[in-house]
Every structure is written in structure tokens, then in C-alpha cells.
PDB file of all heavy atoms in Angstrom:
ATOM      1  N   SER Z1109      -4.768  27.844 -57.704  1.00 92.00           N
ATOM      2  CA  SER Z1109      -3.693  28.803 -57.960  1.00 92.00           C
ATOM      3  C   SER Z1109      -2.991  29.169 -56.660  1.00 92.00           C
ATOM      4  O   SER Z1109      -1.782  29.418 -56.653  1.00 92.00           O
ATOM      5  CB  SER Z1109      -4.195  30.043 -58.696  1.00 92.00           C
ATOM      6  OG  SER Z1109      -5.197  30.680 -57.971  1.00 92.00           O
ATOM      7  N   ALA Z1110      -3.702  29.159 -55.541  1.00 94.00           N
ATOM      8  CA  ALA Z1110      -3.061  29.412 -54.241  1.00 94.00           C
ATOM      9  C   ALA Z1110      -2.030  28.322 -53.944  1.00 94.00           C
ATOM     10  O   ALA Z1110      -0.945  28.599 -53.424  1.00 94.00           O
ATOM     11  CB  ALA Z1110      -4.103  29.483 -53.136  1.00 94.00           C
ATOM     12  N   LYS Z1111      -2.353  27.092 -54.283  1.00 95.00           N
ATOM     13  CA  LYS Z1111      -1.441  25.969 -54.034  1.00 95.00           C
ATOM     14  C   LYS Z1111      -0.158  26.120 -54.852  1.00 95.00           C
ATOM     15  O   LYS Z1111       0.944  25.942 -54.321  1.00 95.00           O
ATOM     16  CB  LYS Z1111      -2.150  24.647 -54.376  1.00 95.00           C
ATOM     17  CG  LYS Z1111      -1.277  23.424 -54.273  1.00 95.00           C
ATOM     18  CD  LYS Z1111      -0.979  23.080 -52.844  1.00 95.00           C
ATOM     19  CE  LYS Z1111      -0.226  21.760 -52.758  1.00 95.00           C
ATOM     20  NZ  LYS Z1111       0.261  21.519 -51.412  1.00 95.00           N
ATOM     21  N   ILE Z1112      -0.284  26.451 -56.137  1.00 95.00           N
ATOM     22  CA  ILE Z1112       0.929  26.535 -56.965  1.00 95.00           C
ATOM     23  C   ILE Z1112       1.788  27.745 -56.620  1.00 95.00           C
ATOM     24  O   ILE Z1112       2.960  27.788 -56.986  1.00 95.00           O
ATOM     25  CB  ILE Z1112       0.622  26.505 -58.481  1.00 95.00           C
ATOM     26  CG1 ILE Z1112      -0.104  27.754 -58.913  1.00 95.00           C
ATOM     27  CG2 ILE Z1112      -0.096  25.240 -58.879  1.00 95.00           C
ATOM     28  CD1 ILE Z1112      -0.054  27.996 -60.391  1.00 95.00           C
ATOM     29  N   LYS Z1113       1.238  28.695 -55.881  1.00 93.00           N
ATOM     30  CA  LYS Z1113       2.007  29.852 -55.432  1.00 93.00           C
ATOM     31  C   LYS Z1113       2.663  29.620 -54.073  1.00 93.00           C
ATOM     32  O   LYS Z1113       3.448  30.441 -53.613  1.00 93.00           O
ATOM     33  CB  LYS Z1113       1.114  31.095 -55.365  1.00 93.00           C
ATOM     34  CG  LYS Z1113       0.679  31.603 -56.727  1.00 93.00           C
ATOM     35  CD  LYS Z1113      -0.290  32.766 -56.581  1.00 93.00           C
ATOM     36  CE  LYS Z1113      -0.711  33.310 -57.910  1.00 93.00           C
ATOM     37  NZ  LYS Z1113       0.225  34.241 -58.495  1.00 93.00           N
ATOM     38  N   SER Z1114       2.344  28.506 -53.418  1.00 95.00           N
ATOM     39  CA  SER Z1114       2.882  28.244 -52.081  1.00 95.00           C
ATOM     40  C   SER Z1114       4.358  27.859 -52.161  1.00 95.00           C
ATOM     41  O   SER Z1114       4.813  27.230 -53.121  1.00 95.00           O
ATOM     42  CB  SER Z1114       2.093  27.137 -51.389  1.00 95.00           C
ATOM     43  OG  SER Z1114       2.380  25.877 -51.977  1.00 95.00           O
ATOM     44  N   ALA Z1115       5.090  28.233 -51.149  1.00 95.00           N
ATOM     45  CA  ALA Z1115       6.529  27.943 -51.100  1.00 95.00           C
ATOM     46  C   ALA Z1115       6.788  26.444 -51.180  1.00 95.00           C
ATOM     47  O   ALA Z1115       7.693  26.002 -51.901  1.00 95.00           O
ATOM     48  CB  ALA Z1115       7.139  28.534 -49.832  1.00 95.00           C
ATOM     49  N   SER Z1116       5.993  25.646 -50.467  1.00 96.00           N
ATOM     50  CA  SER Z1116       6.229  24.193 -50.471  1.00 96.00           C
ATOM     51  C   SER Z1116       6.003  23.604 -51.865  1.00 96.00           C
ATOM     52  O   SER Z1116       6.773  22.756 -52.324  1.00 96.00           O
ATOM     53  CB  SER Z1116       5.351  23.483 -49.445  1.00 96.00           C
ATOM     54  OG  SER Z1116       3.990  23.691 -49.725  1.00 96.00           O
ATOM     55  N   PHE Z1117       4.973  24.066 -52.569  1.00 97.00           N
ATOM     56  CA  PHE Z1117       4.720  23.561 -53.914  1.00 97.00           C
ATOM     57  C   PHE Z1117       5.855  23.967 -54.862  1.00 97.00           C
ATOM     58  O   PHE Z1117       6.330  23.153 -55.659  1.00 97.00           O
ATOM     59  CB  PHE Z1117       3.382  24.056 -54.466  1.00 97.00           C
ATOM     60  CG  PHE Z1117       3.091  23.507 -55.833  1.00 97.00           C
ATOM     61  CD1 PHE Z1117       2.516  22.255 -55.975  1.00 97.00           C
ATOM     62  CD2 PHE Z1117       3.445  24.212 -56.980  1.00 97.00           C
ATOM     63  CE1 PHE Z1117       2.281  21.725 -57.235  1.00 97.00           C
ATOM     64  CE2 PHE Z1117       3.214  23.684 -58.246  1.00 97.00           C
ATOM     65  CZ  PHE Z1117       2.628  22.432 -58.370  1.00 97.00           C
ATOM     66  N   ILE Z1118       6.278  25.210 -54.782  1.00 96.00           N
ATOM     67  CA  ILE Z1118       7.357  25.694 -55.654  1.00 96.00           C
ATOM     68  C   ILE Z1118       8.635  24.898 -55.419  1.00 96.00           C
ATOM     69  O   ILE Z1118       9.297  24.464 -56.374  1.00 96.00           O
ATOM     70  CB  ILE Z1118       7.589  27.207 -55.440  1.00 96.00           C
ATOM     71  CG1 ILE Z1118       6.364  27.994 -55.919  1.00 96.00           C
ATOM     72  CG2 ILE Z1118       8.858  27.677 -56.154  1.00 96.00           C
ATOM     73  CD1 ILE Z1118       6.339  29.450 -55.496  1.00 96.00           C
ATOM     74  N   LYS Z1119       8.969  24.660 -54.168  1.00 96.00           N
ATOM     75  CA  LYS Z1119      10.178  23.870 -53.850  1.00 96.00           C
ATOM     76  C   LYS Z1119      10.058  22.460 -54.416  1.00 96.00           C
ATOM     77  O   LYS Z1119      10.992  21.951 -55.031  1.00 96.00           O
ATOM     78  CB  LYS Z1119      10.410  23.830 -52.344  1.00 96.00           C
ATOM     79  CG  LYS Z1119      10.890  25.142 -51.781  1.00 96.00           C
ATOM     80  CD  LYS Z1119      11.011  25.066 -50.264  1.00 96.00           C
ATOM     81  CE  LYS Z1119      11.353  26.428 -49.695  1.00 96.00           C
ATOM     82  NZ  LYS Z1119      11.388  26.416 -48.229  1.00 96.00           N
ATOM     83  N   ASP Z1120       8.904  21.828 -54.199  1.00 97.00           N
ATOM     84  CA  ASP Z1120       8.699  20.468 -54.725  1.00 97.00           C
ATOM     85  C   ASP Z1120       8.744  20.458 -56.254  1.00 97.00           C
ATOM     86  O   ASP Z1120       9.333  19.562 -56.865  1.00 97.00           O
ATOM     87  CB  ASP Z1120       7.358  19.896 -54.250  1.00 97.00           C
ATOM     88  CG  ASP Z1120       7.352  19.550 -52.773  1.00 97.00           C
ATOM     89  OD1 ASP Z1120       8.447  19.470 -52.157  1.00 97.00           O
ATOM     90  OD2 ASP Z1120       6.244  19.373 -52.218  1.00 97.00           O
ATOM     91  N   PHE Z1121       8.108  21.440 -56.870  1.00 97.00           N
ATOM     92  CA  PHE Z1121       8.067  21.518 -58.329  1.00 97.00           C
ATOM     93  C   PHE Z1121       9.481  21.562 -58.904  1.00 97.00           C
ATOM     94  O   PHE Z1121       9.807  20.834 -59.851  1.00 97.00           O
ATOM     95  CB  PHE Z1121       7.267  22.753 -58.764  1.00 97.00           C
ATOM     96  CG  PHE Z1121       7.100  22.868 -60.259  1.00 97.00           C
ATOM     97  CD1 PHE Z1121       6.040  22.240 -60.896  1.00 97.00           C
ATOM     98  CD2 PHE Z1121       7.996  23.596 -61.029  1.00 97.00           C
ATOM     99  CE1 PHE Z1121       5.876  22.330 -62.269  1.00 97.00           C
ATOM    100  CE2 PHE Z1121       7.847  23.703 -62.408  1.00 97.00           C
ATOM    101  CZ  PHE Z1121       6.782  23.065 -63.032  1.00 97.00           C
ATOM    102  N   TYR Z1122      10.330  22.407 -58.330  1.00 97.00           N
ATOM    103  CA  TYR Z1122      11.681  22.555 -58.876  1.00 97.00           C
ATOM    104  C   TYR Z1122      12.660  21.486 -58.392  1.00 97.00           C
ATOM    105  O   TYR Z1122      13.812  21.486 -58.791  1.00 97.00           O
ATOM    106  CB  TYR Z1122      12.193  23.982 -58.670  1.00 97.00           C
ATOM    107  CG  TYR Z1122      11.471  24.910 -59.621  1.00 97.00           C
ATOM    108  CD1 TYR Z1122      10.548  25.835 -59.162  1.00 97.00           C
ATOM    109  CD2 TYR Z1122      11.665  24.809 -61.000  1.00 97.00           C
ATOM    110  CE1 TYR Z1122       9.851  26.652 -60.043  1.00 97.00           C
ATOM    111  CE2 TYR Z1122      10.957  25.612 -61.882  1.00 97.00           C
ATOM    112  CZ  TYR Z1122      10.066  26.533 -61.397  1.00 97.00           C
ATOM    113  OH  TYR Z1122       9.375  27.323 -62.282  1.00 97.00           O
ATOM    114  N   GLN Z1123      12.169  20.538 -57.600  1.00 96.00           N
ATOM    115  CA  GLN Z1123      12.953  19.322 -57.354  1.00 96.00           C
ATOM    116  C   GLN Z1123      12.892  18.431 -58.599  1.00 96.00           C
ATOM    117  O   GLN Z1123      13.798  17.654 -58.855  1.00 96.00           O
ATOM    118  CB  GLN Z1123      12.406  18.548 -56.142  1.00 96.00           C
ATOM    119  CG  GLN Z1123      12.650  19.222 -54.819  1.00 96.00           C
ATOM    120  CD  GLN Z1123      14.121  19.291 -54.459  1.00 96.00           C
ATOM    121  OE1 GLN Z1123      14.865  18.331 -54.646  1.00 96.00           O
ATOM    122  NE2 GLN Z1123      14.538  20.439 -53.964  1.00 96.00           N
ATOM    123  N   ASN Z1124      11.801  18.570 -59.363  1.00 95.00           N
ATOM    124  CA  ASN Z1124      11.574  17.735 -60.546  1.00 95.00           C
ATOM    125  C   ASN Z1124      11.751  18.461 -61.877  1.00 95.00           C
ATOM    126  O   ASN Z1124      11.605  17.844 -62.927  1.00 95.00           O
ATOM    127  CB  ASN Z1124      10.154  17.148 -60.486  1.00 95.00           C
ATOM    128  CG  ASN Z1124       9.950  16.289 -59.268  1.00 95.00           C
ATOM    129  OD1 ASN Z1124      10.752  15.417 -58.980  1.00 95.00           O
ATOM    130  ND2 ASN Z1124       8.903  16.561 -58.514  1.00 95.00           N
ATOM    131  N   HIS Z1125      11.971  19.774 -61.827  1.00 97.00           N
ATOM    132  CA  HIS Z1125      12.119  20.573 -63.043  1.00 97.00           C
ATOM    133  C   HIS Z1125      13.330  21.480 -62.914  1.00 97.00           C
ATOM    134  O   HIS Z1125      13.725  21.840 -61.802  1.00 97.00           O
ATOM    135  CB  HIS Z1125      10.851  21.409 -63.294  1.00 97.00           C
ATOM    136  CG  HIS Z1125       9.645  20.571 -63.540  1.00 97.00           C
ATOM    137  ND1 HIS Z1125       8.830  20.118 -62.534  1.00 97.00           N
ATOM    138  CD2 HIS Z1125       9.112  20.097 -64.679  1.00 97.00           C
ATOM    139  CE1 HIS Z1125       7.861  19.393 -63.038  1.00 97.00           C
ATOM    140  NE2 HIS Z1125       7.998  19.361 -64.344  1.00 97.00           N
ATOM    141  N   ASP Z1126      13.896  21.850 -64.030  1.00 96.00           N
ATOM    142  CA  ASP Z1126      15.120  22.643 -64.060  1.00 96.00           C
ATOM    143  C   ASP Z1126      14.801  24.137 -64.011  1.00 96.00           C
ATOM    144  O   ASP Z1126      14.436  24.734 -65.029  1.00 96.00           O
ATOM    145  CB  ASP Z1126      15.913  22.292 -65.327  1.00 96.00           C
ATOM    146  CG  ASP Z1126      17.284  22.908 -65.367  1.00 96.00           C
ATOM    147  OD1 ASP Z1126      17.564  23.861 -64.606  1.00 96.00           O
ATOM    148  OD2 ASP Z1126      18.112  22.451 -66.184  1.00 96.00           O
ATOM    149  N   LEU Z1127      14.931  24.724 -62.835  1.00 97.00           N
ATOM    150  CA  LEU Z1127      14.640  26.139 -62.648  1.00 97.00           C
ATOM    151  C   LEU Z1127      15.566  27.002 -63.503  1.00 97.00           C
ATOM    152  O   LEU Z1127      15.107  27.928 -64.168  1.00 97.00           O
ATOM    153  CB  LEU Z1127      14.764  26.523 -61.170  1.00 97.00           C
ATOM    154  CG  LEU Z1127      14.592  28.002 -60.831  1.00 97.00           C
ATOM    155  CD1 LEU Z1127      13.258  28.548 -61.319  1.00 97.00           C
ATOM    156  CD2 LEU Z1127      14.744  28.207 -59.324  1.00 97.00           C
ATOM    157  N   ARG Z1128      16.836  26.699 -63.505  1.00 97.00           N
ATOM    158  CA  ARG Z1128      17.799  27.486 -64.282  1.00 97.00           C
ATOM    159  C   ARG Z1128      17.391  27.525 -65.757  1.00 97.00           C
ATOM    160  O   ARG Z1128      17.370  28.585 -66.375  1.00 97.00           O
ATOM    161  CB  ARG Z1128      19.204  26.906 -64.127  1.00 97.00           C
ATOM    162  CG  ARG Z1128      20.252  27.673 -64.878  1.00 97.00           C
ATOM    163  CD  ARG Z1128      21.645  27.014 -64.784  1.00 97.00           C
ATOM    164  NE  ARG Z1128      22.599  27.846 -65.441  1.00 97.00           N
ATOM    165  CZ  ARG Z1128      23.312  28.805 -64.862  1.00 97.00           C
ATOM    166  NH1 ARG Z1128      23.178  29.042 -63.571  1.00 97.00           N
ATOM    167  NH2 ARG Z1128      24.162  29.530 -65.553  1.00 97.00           N
ATOM    168  N   GLN Z1129      17.056  26.385 -66.311  1.00 97.00           N
ATOM    169  CA  GLN Z1129      16.675  26.315 -67.722  1.00 97.00           C
ATOM    170  C   GLN Z1129      15.402  27.100 -67.994  1.00 97.00           C
ATOM    171  O   GLN Z1129      15.284  27.783 -69.013  1.00 97.00           O
ATOM    172  CB  GLN Z1129      16.524  24.859 -68.169  1.00 97.00           C
ATOM    173  CG  GLN Z1129      16.339  24.685 -69.648  1.00 97.00           C
ATOM    174  CD  GLN Z1129      17.512  25.234 -70.472  1.00 97.00           C
ATOM    175  OE1 GLN Z1129      18.663  25.203 -70.051  1.00 97.00           O
ATOM    176  NE2 GLN Z1129      17.223  25.751 -71.644  1.00 97.00           N
ATOM    177  N   SER Z1130      14.438  27.044 -67.077  1.00 96.00           N
ATOM    178  CA  SER Z1130      13.196  27.798 -67.290  1.00 96.00           C
ATOM    179  C   SER Z1130      13.454  29.299 -67.242  1.00 96.00           C
ATOM    180  O   SER Z1130      12.823  30.060 -67.979  1.00 96.00           O
ATOM    181  CB  SER Z1130      12.118  27.387 -66.285  1.00 96.00           C
ATOM    182  OG  SER Z1130      12.436  27.796 -64.985  1.00 96.00           O
ATOM    183  N   LEU Z1131      14.404  29.744 -66.422  1.00 96.00           N
ATOM    184  CA  LEU Z1131      14.767  31.164 -66.377  1.00 96.00           C
ATOM    185  C   LEU Z1131      15.385  31.615 -67.701  1.00 96.00           C
ATOM    186  O   LEU Z1131      15.072  32.691 -68.214  1.00 96.00           O
ATOM    187  CB  LEU Z1131      15.759  31.431 -65.238  1.00 96.00           C
ATOM    188  CG  LEU Z1131      15.243  31.209 -63.825  1.00 96.00           C
ATOM    189  CD1 LEU Z1131      16.380  31.317 -62.818  1.00 96.00           C
ATOM    190  CD2 LEU Z1131      14.125  32.167 -63.493  1.00 96.00           C
ATOM    191  N   ILE Z1132      16.231  30.778 -68.244  1.00 96.00           N
ATOM    192  CA  ILE Z1132      16.897  31.103 -69.516  1.00 96.00           C
ATOM    193  C   ILE Z1132      15.874  31.134 -70.656  1.00 96.00           C
ATOM    194  O   ILE Z1132      15.868  32.058 -71.469  1.00 96.00           O
ATOM    195  CB  ILE Z1132      18.033  30.097 -69.792  1.00 96.00           C
ATOM    196  CG1 ILE Z1132      19.154  30.314 -68.759  1.00 96.00           C
ATOM    197  CG2 ILE Z1132      18.559  30.219 -71.217  1.00 96.00           C
ATOM    198  CD1 ILE Z1132      20.188  29.208 -68.700  1.00 96.00           C
ATOM    199  N   ILE Z1133      14.988  30.154 -70.700  1.00 95.00           N
ATOM    200  CA  ILE Z1133      13.955  30.112 -71.744  1.00 95.00           C
ATOM    201  C   ILE Z1133      13.040  31.327 -71.624  1.00 95.00           C
ATOM    202  O   ILE Z1133      12.698  31.954 -72.634  1.00 95.00           O
ATOM    203  CB  ILE Z1133      13.138  28.801 -71.674  1.00 95.00           C
ATOM    204  CG1 ILE Z1133      14.020  27.617 -72.066  1.00 95.00           C
ATOM    205  CG2 ILE Z1133      11.900  28.873 -72.567  1.00 95.00           C
ATOM    206  CD1 ILE Z1133      13.398  26.265 -71.766  1.00 95.00           C
ATOM    207  N   HIS Z1134      12.654  31.671 -70.410  1.00 94.00           N
ATOM    208  CA  HIS Z1134      11.776  32.829 -70.217  1.00 94.00           C
ATOM    209  C   HIS Z1134      12.427  34.103 -70.754  1.00 94.00           C
ATOM    210  O   HIS Z1134      11.775  34.897 -71.432  1.00 94.00           O
ATOM    211  CB  HIS Z1134      11.403  32.996 -68.744  1.00 94.00           C
ATOM    212  CG  HIS Z1134      10.470  34.137 -68.512  1.00 94.00           C
ATOM    213  ND1 HIS Z1134       9.184  34.155 -69.003  1.00 94.00           N
ATOM    214  CD2 HIS Z1134      10.639  35.317 -67.867  1.00 94.00           C
ATOM    215  CE1 HIS Z1134       8.606  35.292 -68.668  1.00 94.00           C
ATOM    216  NE2 HIS Z1134       9.469  36.018 -67.982  1.00 94.00           N
ATOM    217  N   LYS Z1135      13.690  34.272 -70.491  1.00 94.00           N
ATOM    218  CA  LYS Z1135      14.385  35.467 -70.999  1.00 94.00           C
ATOM    219  C   LYS Z1135      14.402  35.468 -72.527  1.00 94.00           C
ATOM    220  O   LYS Z1135      14.224  36.521 -73.154  1.00 94.00           O
ATOM    221  CB  LYS Z1135      15.814  35.535 -70.460  1.00 94.00           C
ATOM    222  CG  LYS Z1135      16.539  36.772 -70.952  1.00 94.00           C
ATOM    223  CD  LYS Z1135      17.942  36.872 -70.421  1.00 94.00           C
ATOM    224  CE  LYS Z1135      18.598  38.108 -71.038  1.00 94.00           C
ATOM    225  NZ  LYS Z1135      19.962  38.293 -70.597  1.00 94.00           N
ATOM    226  N   GLN Z1136      14.587  34.309 -73.137  1.00 93.00           N
ATOM    227  CA  GLN Z1136      14.610  34.219 -74.598  1.00 93.00           C
ATOM    228  C   GLN Z1136      13.243  34.548 -75.200  1.00 93.00           C
ATOM    229  O   GLN Z1136      13.165  35.153 -76.270  1.00 93.00           O
ATOM    230  CB  GLN Z1136      15.034  32.814 -75.033  1.00 93.00           C
ATOM    231  CG  GLN Z1136      16.476  32.503 -74.720  1.00 93.00           C
ATOM    232  CD  GLN Z1136      16.801  31.026 -74.887  1.00 93.00           C
ATOM    233  OE1 GLN Z1136      15.921  30.170 -75.023  1.00 93.00           O
ATOM    234  NE2 GLN Z1136      18.087  30.712 -74.873  1.00 93.00           N
ATOM    235  N   LYS Z1137      12.173  34.174 -74.538  1.00 91.00           N
ATOM    236  CA  LYS Z1137      10.822  34.357 -75.077  1.00 91.00           C
ATOM    237  C   LYS Z1137      10.239  35.737 -74.772  1.00 91.00           C
ATOM    238  O   LYS Z1137       9.403  36.229 -75.518  1.00 91.00           O
ATOM    239  CB  LYS Z1137       9.873  33.298 -74.511  1.00 91.00           C
ATOM    240  CG  LYS Z1137      10.279  31.868 -74.787  1.00 91.00           C
ATOM    241  CD  LYS Z1137       9.819  31.406 -76.113  1.00 91.00           C
ATOM    242  CE  LYS Z1137      10.138  29.920 -76.268  1.00 91.00           C
ATOM    243  NZ  LYS Z1137       9.934  29.480 -77.618  1.00 91.00           N
ATOM    244  N   ALA Z1138      10.655  36.339 -73.669  1.00 88.00           N
ATOM    245  CA  ALA Z1138      10.073  37.612 -73.242  1.00 88.00           C
ATOM    246  C   ALA Z1138      10.699  38.782 -74.001  1.00 88.00           C
ATOM    247  O   ALA Z1138      11.785  38.668 -74.564  1.00 88.00           O
ATOM    248  CB  ALA Z1138      10.276  37.791 -71.740  1.00 88.00           C
ATOM    249  N   LYS Z1139       9.999  39.898 -73.978  1.00 83.00           N
ATOM    250  CA  LYS Z1139      10.497  41.105 -74.638  1.00 83.00           C
ATOM    251  C   LYS Z1139      11.491  41.810 -73.723  1.00 83.00           C
ATOM    252  O   LYS Z1139      11.194  42.089 -72.565  1.00 83.00           O
ATOM    253  CB  LYS Z1139       9.342  42.054 -74.960  1.00 83.00           C
ATOM    254  CG  LYS Z1139       8.432  41.534 -76.034  1.00 83.00           C
ATOM    255  CD  LYS Z1139       7.346  42.534 -76.340  1.00 83.00           C
ATOM    256  CE  LYS Z1139       6.426  41.986 -77.418  1.00 83.00           C
ATOM    257  NZ  LYS Z1139       5.328  42.887 -77.703  1.00 83.00           N
ATOM    258  N   SER Z1140      12.625  42.097 -74.281  1.00 82.00           N
ATOM    259  CA  SER Z1140      13.672  42.790 -73.539  1.00 82.00           C
ATOM    260  C   SER Z1140      13.460  44.299 -73.619  1.00 82.00           C
ATOM    261  O   SER Z1140      13.027  44.806 -74.648  1.00 82.00           O
ATOM    262  CB  SER Z1140      15.023  42.400 -74.135  1.00 82.00           C
ATOM    263  OG  SER Z1140      16.049  42.944 -73.367  1.00 82.00           O
ATOM    264  N   GLU Z1141      13.742  44.988 -72.546  1.00 84.00           N
ATOM    265  CA  GLU Z1141      13.636  46.448 -72.512  1.00 84.00           C
ATOM    266  C   GLU Z1141      14.862  47.019 -71.827  1.00 84.00           C
ATOM    267  O   GLU Z1141      15.464  46.378 -70.962  1.00 84.00           O
ATOM    268  CB  GLU Z1141      12.388  46.881 -71.745  1.00 84.00           C
ATOM    269  CG  GLU Z1141      11.097  46.531 -72.432  1.00 84.00           C
ATOM    270  CD  GLU Z1141       9.891  47.053 -71.665  1.00 84.00           C
ATOM    271  OE1 GLU Z1141       9.964  48.177 -71.144  1.00 84.00           O
ATOM    272  OE2 GLU Z1141       8.902  46.317 -71.594  1.00 84.00           O
ATOM    273  N   LYS Z1142      15.181  48.247 -72.179  1.00 85.00           N
ATOM    274  CA  LYS Z1142      16.330  48.921 -71.588  1.00 85.00           C
ATOM    275  C   LYS Z1142      16.120  49.066 -70.075  1.00 85.00           C
ATOM    276  O   LYS Z1142      15.033  49.420 -69.622  1.00 85.00           O
ATOM    277  CB  LYS Z1142      16.498  50.302 -72.236  1.00 85.00           C
ATOM    278  CG  LYS Z1142      17.740  51.021 -71.820  1.00 85.00           C
ATOM    279  CD  LYS Z1142      17.855  52.336 -72.532  1.00 85.00           C
ATOM    280  CE  LYS Z1142      19.122  53.045 -72.084  1.00 85.00           C
ATOM    281  NZ  LYS Z1142      19.247  54.356 -72.682  1.00 85.00           N
ATOM    282  N   ASN Z1143      17.168  48.770 -69.326  1.00 84.00           N
ATOM    283  CA  ASN Z1143      17.192  48.898 -67.866  1.00 84.00           C
ATOM    284  C   ASN Z1143      16.237  47.962 -67.135  1.00 84.00           C
ATOM    285  O   ASN Z1143      15.912  48.185 -65.971  1.00 84.00           O
ATOM    286  CB  ASN Z1143      16.936  50.346 -67.425  1.00 84.00           C
ATOM    287  CG  ASN Z1143      17.999  51.286 -67.932  1.00 84.00           C
ATOM    288  OD1 ASN Z1143      19.172  50.936 -67.994  1.00 84.00           O
ATOM    289  ND2 ASN Z1143      17.598  52.478 -68.315  1.00 84.00           N
ATOM    290  N   ILE Z1144      15.755  46.937 -67.821  1.00 90.00           N
ATOM    291  CA  ILE Z1144      14.916  45.919 -67.197  1.00 90.00           C
ATOM    292  C   ILE Z1144      15.670  44.594 -67.322  1.00 90.00           C
ATOM    293  O   ILE Z1144      16.146  44.239 -68.394  1.00 90.00           O
ATOM    294  CB  ILE Z1144      13.536  45.796 -67.897  1.00 90.00           C
ATOM    295  CG1 ILE Z1144      12.784  47.124 -67.878  1.00 90.00           C
ATOM    296  CG2 ILE Z1144      12.711  44.674 -67.283  1.00 90.00           C
ATOM    297  CD1 ILE Z1144      12.247  47.555 -66.544  1.00 90.00           C
ATOM    298  N   TYR Z1145      15.751  43.880 -66.215  1.00 95.00           N
ATOM    299  CA  TYR Z1145      16.474  42.616 -66.191  1.00 95.00           C
ATOM    300  C   TYR Z1145      15.510  41.465 -65.946  1.00 95.00           C
ATOM    301  O   TYR Z1145      14.379  41.662 -65.531  1.00 95.00           O
ATOM    302  CB  TYR Z1145      17.546  42.641 -65.088  1.00 95.00           C
ATOM    303  CG  TYR Z1145      18.584  43.709 -65.318  1.00 95.00           C
ATOM    304  CD1 TYR Z1145      18.463  44.958 -64.725  1.00 95.00           C
ATOM    305  CD2 TYR Z1145      19.670  43.472 -66.149  1.00 95.00           C
ATOM    306  CE1 TYR Z1145      19.408  45.947 -64.951  1.00 95.00           C
ATOM    307  CE2 TYR Z1145      20.625  44.456 -66.377  1.00 95.00           C
ATOM    308  CZ  TYR Z1145      20.486  45.692 -65.777  1.00 95.00           C
ATOM    309  OH  TYR Z1145      21.409  46.670 -66.003  1.00 95.00           O
ATOM    310  N   PHE Z1146      16.013  40.266 -66.200  1.00 95.00           N
ATOM    311  CA  PHE Z1146      15.289  39.032 -65.951  1.00 95.00           C
ATOM    312  C   PHE Z1146      16.015  38.260 -64.856  1.00 95.00           C
ATOM    313  O   PHE Z1146      17.205  38.492 -64.624  1.00 95.00           O
ATOM    314  CB  PHE Z1146      15.241  38.160 -67.218  1.00 95.00           C
ATOM    315  CG  PHE Z1146      14.459  38.783 -68.335  1.00 95.00           C
ATOM    316  CD1 PHE Z1146      15.079  39.591 -69.274  1.00 95.00           C
ATOM    317  CD2 PHE Z1146      13.099  38.559 -68.453  1.00 95.00           C
ATOM    318  CE1 PHE Z1146      14.362  40.166 -70.305  1.00 95.00           C
ATOM    319  CE2 PHE Z1146      12.369  39.133 -69.487  1.00 95.00           C
ATOM    320  CZ  PHE Z1146      13.002  39.935 -70.411  1.00 95.00           C
ATOM    321  N   LEU Z1147      15.336  37.318 -64.217  1.00 96.00           N
ATOM    322  CA  LEU Z1147      16.004  36.474 -63.231  1.00 96.00           C
ATOM    323  C   LEU Z1147      17.209  35.759 -63.850  1.00 96.00           C
ATOM    324  O   LEU Z1147      18.216  35.554 -63.177  1.00 96.00           O
ATOM    325  CB  LEU Z1147      15.028  35.461 -62.626  1.00 96.00           C
ATOM    326  CG  LEU Z1147      14.021  36.026 -61.633  1.00 96.00           C
ATOM    327  CD1 LEU Z1147      12.972  34.970 -61.275  1.00 96.00           C
ATOM    328  CD2 LEU Z1147      14.706  36.535 -60.383  1.00 96.00           C
ATOM    329  N   ALA Z1148      17.127  35.426 -65.116  1.00 96.00           N
ATOM    330  CA  ALA Z1148      18.257  34.773 -65.800  1.00 96.00           C
ATOM    331  C   ALA Z1148      19.511  35.647 -65.765  1.00 96.00           C
ATOM    332  O   ALA Z1148      20.623  35.127 -65.772  1.00 96.00           O
ATOM    333  CB  ALA Z1148      17.878  34.425 -67.234  1.00 96.00           C
TER     334      ALA Z1148
END
């Protein structure tokens, strides 16, 4: 878990995966609350 939290791993991971799309999907799946925002 330390490895997947590292900056180098995150950068490499999102070279191969769509960060924007994952942000949008996360917002769709998560519970929305007043005055709370998502990265999307």
C-alpha cells in the first residue's frame, strides 16, 4: 500500500489509465452532500 501511494507509482498508473474518467465515475458513485465537492 505504501508503493501505490507513492508519487512515482501514481504518475505511472495514470500514464496508462484515464484519471479524468475515474474522477467522473467516482463522483457518480459517491454520495453527494451539501457544500462538499469532488475532484471532478
Side-chain angles (χ1 to χ4, degrees):
S1109 58
K1111 175 72 174 171
I1112 68 162
K1113 291 175 179 278
S1114 72
S1116 60
F1117 182 84
I1118 293 168
K1119 288 176 186 176
D1120 289 345
F1121 184 87
Y1122 287 110
Q1123 290 294 318
N1124 299 310
H1125 297 88
D1126 188 343
L1127 175 56
R1128 181 184 184 91
Q1129 189 60 33
S1130 69
L1131 295 172
I1132 292 167
I1133 292 169
H1134 182 65
K1135 181 179 177 180
Q1136 291 168 348
K1137 302 275 186 190
K1139 291 182 181 177
S1140 186
E1141 292 183 40
K1142 187 178 180 183
N1143 298 323
I1144 302 288
Y1145 298 95
F1146 295 91
L1147 286 171

